Amino acid sequence: MFEQHINPDYISVEATARLRQQFDQAQPYRHLVLDNFLTADFAEALNAQFPSIEKLKKHYNGLNERKSEGANFDDFPEVFRQARELIMGEQMAAWMSRVTGIEEVFVADDHLGTGLHQGSNGSFLDIHIDFNIHAEKDIHRRLNMLIYMNKDWLESYGGDLEMWDAKMTRCEKKVAPIFNRAVIFETSEISYHGYSKITVPEHITRKSIYVYFYTQLREGAASYHDTVFKAKPEDTAVKKVGTTVKETLKNFAKATLKRAGIKKL
């Protein structure tokens, strides 16, 4: 299945060695941007059958995010169950380890492993670092992969993936969420990312497949924290204060619950 659905230009020995070098040298943190990642027929089928927002079970509309999310693959078309099988497979994990140098990665078999993101007009996701440890399984999140499903995406729509510097002073790189483009990046205490508010017609949404890769817990890793949102330098004083207070209280509460052995956070 792996060779059937992944662009062959990315899976040869020579290609993986080249990608590994690109990953290590990328700034502001290690990452890859891979166009035409899936084979054309497979990508077209996923795009054509991408579920509507109403089919996704989680809908966020708060201070720092407005988007929908779903991992209920049994409710999605068959092609998405094929995609999940591909993503969860040993060959995908082995390839990810080769191109990133992070050994023995795997995908959790739950909604914190893989699913779909989608946002309509006004959708946004403020800059943040991701949770670092799976609260229930106690495994360490190491890599994100996003595969975008946005045909004919216009620059005027916005929604570029923004990669910010470690001090959250400036955006170092923007990646347009164009069709069949995959972005792979290391999740760490400095991998600040997100996307600004999109402006799209009523029939257009920003769509992606997400995959989180884990390893077993390792020595020297930061202690557990949930997602940590950060305000941008240009945000209003009210939003800066609101974000700081909300994130401090949220992470204190979740860390306290985890220390108490309460894993359903």
Side-chain angles (χ1 to χ4, degrees), residues 210-221:
Y210 69 82
V211 192
Y212 306 151
F213 289 87
Y214 296 84
T215 62
Q216 298 301 326
L217 291 182
R218 60 195 177 108
E219 292 185 6

Side-chain angles (χ1 to χ4, degrees), residues 3-111:
E3 291 84 358
Q4 180 183 354
H5 292 317
I6 301 298
N7 187 332
D9 290 343
Y10 294 130
I11 61 179
S12 69
V13 173
E14 295 78 13
T16 54
R18 182 181 69 253
L19 293 176
R20 171 68 190 278
Q21 184 177 36
Q22 292 174 2
F23 182 79
D24 285 341
Q25 294 176 349
Q27 296 293 331
Y29 41 81
R30 299 200 297 171
H31 72 273
L32 291 169
V33 179
L34 306 177
D35 287 338
N36 301 311
F37 180 65
L38 303 173
T39 54
D41 289 348
F42 193 50
E44 291 286 353
L46 289 166
N47 177 75
Q49 300 179 61
F50 204 97
S52 66
I53 284 183
E54 292 73 26
K55 284 283 188 180
L56 307 185
K57 290 188 175 180
K58 293 186 177 181
H59 306 280
Y60 301 97
N61 188 11
L63 177 65
N64 298 116
E65 58 185 326
R66 184 182 303 158
K67 64 183 178 67
S68 297
E69 178 182 303
N72 44 317
F73 281 82
D74 288 342
D75 295 339
F76 299 160
E78 172 62 27
V79 68
F80 282 90
R81 292 191 284 278
Q82 295 174 22
R84 191 174 190 273
E85 183 179 347
L86 167 71
I87 288 163
M88 297 284 297
E90 292 182 1
Q91 287 181 290
M92 176 65 80
W95 180 83
M96 287 291 291
S97 286
R98 288 196 297 273
V99 300
T100 66
I102 300 175
E103 297 182 354
E104 298 181 348
V105 299
F106 58 89
V107 179
D109 189 13
D110 60 16
H111 72 284

Side-chain angles (χ1 to χ4, degrees), residues 241-259:
V241 171
T243 297
T244 300
V245 170
K246 177 178 74 68
E247 293 301 289
T248 300
L249 292 175
K250 177 191 74 176
N251 272 284
F252 174 78
K254 289 198 171 187
T256 299
L257 290 171
K258 193 170 191 310
R259 285 194 298 270

Side-chain angles (χ1 to χ4, degrees), residues 106-162:
F106 58 89
V107 179
D109 189 13
D110 60 16
H111 72 284
L112 296 179
T114 184
L116 309 181
H117 285 148
Q118 190 167 184
S120 56
N121 187 46
S123 174
F124 68 96
L125 179 63
D126 280 348
I127 307 304
H128 63 285
I129 56 172
D130 295 305
F131 71 84
N132 62 340
I133 295 173
H134 192 300
E136 297 177 32
K137 299 179 184 294
D138 279 338
I139 52 180
H140 186 41
R141 184 168 170 181
R142 306 297 300 279
L143 295 162
N144 284 356
M145 178 165 67
L146 302 169
I147 307 173
Y148 294 111
M149 289 283 120
N150 305 305
K151 296 203 79 171
D152 304 317
W153 189 262
L154 301 181
E155 184 178 352
S156 61
Y157 294 164
D160 291 351
L161 175 67
E162 299 180 8

